[in-house]
Amino acid sequence: MKDFGVRAASSADRAFLVDMLAAAVNWLPERNWPREQILADPALAHYVTGWMRHDDFGMVATEPAGRPVGAAWFRYLTAADPGYGYVSDDVPELTIGVVETWRGQGVGRTLLRAVLNAARDRGIRTVSLSVERANVARRLYVAEGFRTVESFENADTMVAEILA
């Protein structure tokens, strides 16, 4: 297992969050959408556009030299501009991505737990996400307490209730 740390995300992390959104979108080896295509798609771009709004929060994993290797962040989206994992206006939606060479090293699980703790500290009780069923990350979400609340052709919307 590689050595890494976790810190709170800041407004300076926007470019890296775009990279991690691209990593999340491009989890399939045959899908290789460039950042420009992702940012041009309103259904994807709203996960990072205008980062960091007053209610945005997240965590960034860093390797020992301080370079980021993964990120997990929550954003409140609305019924007027819902995300893929939209549940309601008062439930923030999770986005998580890990640099490919760091996958399978515990970065995703550590980030997920850290960002869920940050949500709990903010008084948030329910969080959501969307995941394609074939994505190996789905097993992580289930193991960490997420449950499916809506299913689509290839993906599920999942929620986790965060205990106090």
Side-chain angles (χ1 to χ4, degrees):
M1 181 178 270
K2 297 178 182 178
D3 187 29
F4 63 92
V6 176
R7 63 167 172 80
S10 73
S11 59
D13 291 310
R14 183 189 179 279
F16 183 68
L17 296 187
V18 173
D19 290 342
M20 292 302 90
L21 177 59
V25 168
N26 293 321
W27 69 271
L28 281 169
E30 62 270 17
R31 189 184 301 152
N32 192 21
W33 296 358
R35 294 175 86 222
E36 296 74 25
Q37 180 180 350
I38 291 166
L39 290 175
D41 182 344
L44 294 171
H46 64 187
Y47 291 105
V48 292
T49 300
W51 178 268
M52 172 175 223
R53 299 183 310 206
H54 75 282
D55 56 358
D56 291 339
F57 63 98
M59 306 301 285
V60 175
T62 58
E63 50 88 25
R67 286 186 294 274
V69 298
W73 66 100
F74 280 111
R75 181 158 255 198
Y76 287 92
L77 300 172
T78 66
D81 185 25
Y84 289 104
Y86 177 83
V87 174
S88 72
D89 287 5
D90 63 343
V91 174
E93 187 174 342
L94 173 72
T95 304
I96 186 168
V98 176
V99 171
E100 188 172 1
T101 57
W102 282 80
R103 293 178 188 158
Q105 304 295 318
V107 174
R109 184 176 307 274
T110 299
L111 281 168
L112 180 58
R113 288 177 177 174
V115 80
L116 290 174
N117 284 334
R120 182 179 301 109
D121 291 347
R122 287 171 168 72
I124 296 166
R125 296 293 170 244
T126 306
V127 298
S128 70
L129 60 82
S130 175
V131 63
E132 291 175 82
R133 269 185 228 101
N135 190 332
V136 69
R138 188 179 189 290
R139 290 195 311 257
L140 167 66
Y141 304 139
V142 169
E144 293 296 322
F146 282 81
R147 63 182 171 78
T148 300
V149 294
E150 190 170 6
S151 292
F152 301 94
E153 184 178 341
N154 297 315
D156 294 322
T157 297
M158 302 181 85
V159 298
E161 305 299 328
I162 304 172
L163 305 175

